[in-house]
Structure formats: structure tokens, C-alpha cells
Amino acid sequence: MPTNSEVEMSPAEVDTHLSRHETGVLALARDDAPYAIPISYGYDADDRALYLRLVSTPDSEKREFLASTPEARVVVYDDEDDEYASVVGVGTLERVDLGELTPETIAQYGEARRPLFEIWADDKPDLDIELYRFNPETLTGRTVVVERDGE
């Protein structure tokens, strides 16, 4: 599958890509151990920040990695026909205290696919739902057009 062209996205194209999508992959590392999970997010193009809701249990790996306040990466990608596009953000996750929520920040979380507050048929007392803001120090994007075999 030879590549016909590869182009860096402009900042405006990166914002459009992140605004158009709602899911990606969050990658964390701690003591040379990697950890990556699928996420749903809301994106604020003015602040260039992603808003995440992360659900975990007391003994989960996710809690352990989040407690170490690691540098994070978020990858949002798309593969349509002969075009592959991806955006990679590198930065930090900032836990948002529920007492600091404003109508504006609640609206950002509302952009994510999962409802902000969820109700389960059975009581889930061990689940911890935490809100995070991903503040990327860098946001880069790339679009690649490929020549598919047999075309």
C-alpha cells in the first residue's frame, strides 16, 4: 500500500478534526509500563483542550496510572476510503474538582458520547467517575492519502 501523499494539518484542520470526532485513545506511562484506553471526549477549540470522564474501580490499573499524574498522549484518528488522518496531543491531565464545575465546563463534558451522570440498575458504589481536562502542550495532525491494492 504505497503512500501517495502525506500532509501536516494546519492548527485549524487539527481543531476541525478534534471537533468532528468524539472518541480516541488515551495513553499513559509509569515506571516504563504503558497503559492505553479508549476514551470519549468533548473538545473546546478556543482553549484547545479535551474534556474526559474516566470511570474506574478502586483496584483498577487506571486509578494507579492516573494517581501518578503522568504525562499523557491522546490520539484521535480516522480512516475513510483512501485517506487516513490522525491528531496526536501530548500534555497533562488535570483532574477537575466537581465543586469547580461551571455551566460552561459542564457543556464541554456534555459533548462526549457518554452521559455526564449515569444510572445503573444495580448499585455501583465502587465506581469512581472523575472529570479531567487534557491540556495539550503540542497538538499535531497528519493526513495521509494511500493507494489501495487493486485500484
Side-chain angles (χ1 to χ4, degrees):
M1 182 168 39
T3 299
N4 287 350
S5 69
E6 184 173 329
V7 178
E8 286 290 320
M9 289 182 187
S10 69
E13 290 170 322
V14 167
D15 290 339
T16 298
H17 184 84
L18 291 173
S19 295
R20 193 177 60 204
H21 293 83
E22 299 171 328
T23 60
V25 176
L26 171 67
L28 307 169
R30 184 191 70 214
D31 300 328
D32 296 328
Y35 182 75
I37 54 171
I39 57 162
S40 178
Y41 69 89
Y43 182 65
D44 183 341
D46 293 332
D47 291 336
R48 300 197 95 201
L50 285 83
Y51 293 84
L52 318 170
R53 280 183 310 279
L54 302 177
V55 180
S56 61
T57 59
D59 57 351
S60 72
E61 273 188 294
K62 189 186 303 180
R63 277 199 193 177
E64 291 177 26
F65 276 86
L66 290 170
S68 69
T69 59
E71 183 173 273
R73 289 181 190 256
V74 171
V75 178
V76 177
Y77 60 92
D78 191 15
D79 184 7
E80 276 188 33
D81 300 321
D82 294 336
E83 187 172 290
Y84 174 82
S86 63
V87 170
V88 176
V90 178
T92 56
L93 279 175
E94 171 188 330
R95 188 175 176 278
V96 176
D97 187 287
L98 295 179
E100 297 174 9
L101 286 177
T102 65
E104 292 78 20
T105 55
I106 289 172
Q108 290 303 325
Y109 291 102
E111 294 296 318
R113 282 185 187 267
R114 295 180 60 97
L116 180 54
F117 300 102
E118 300 180 28
I119 299 173
W120 286 273
D122 297 324
D123 190 24
K124 304 284 187 188
D126 292 339
L127 286 182
D128 187 14
I129 301 172
E130 293 183 317
L131 305 179
Y132 285 86
R133 177 183 164 121
F134 177 68
N135 301 298
E137 295 164 16
T138 62
L139 270 176
T140 58
R142 178 169 296 154
T143 302
V144 177
V145 177
V146 296
E147 181 181 311
R148 307 273 184 200
D149 292 338
E151 294 181 10

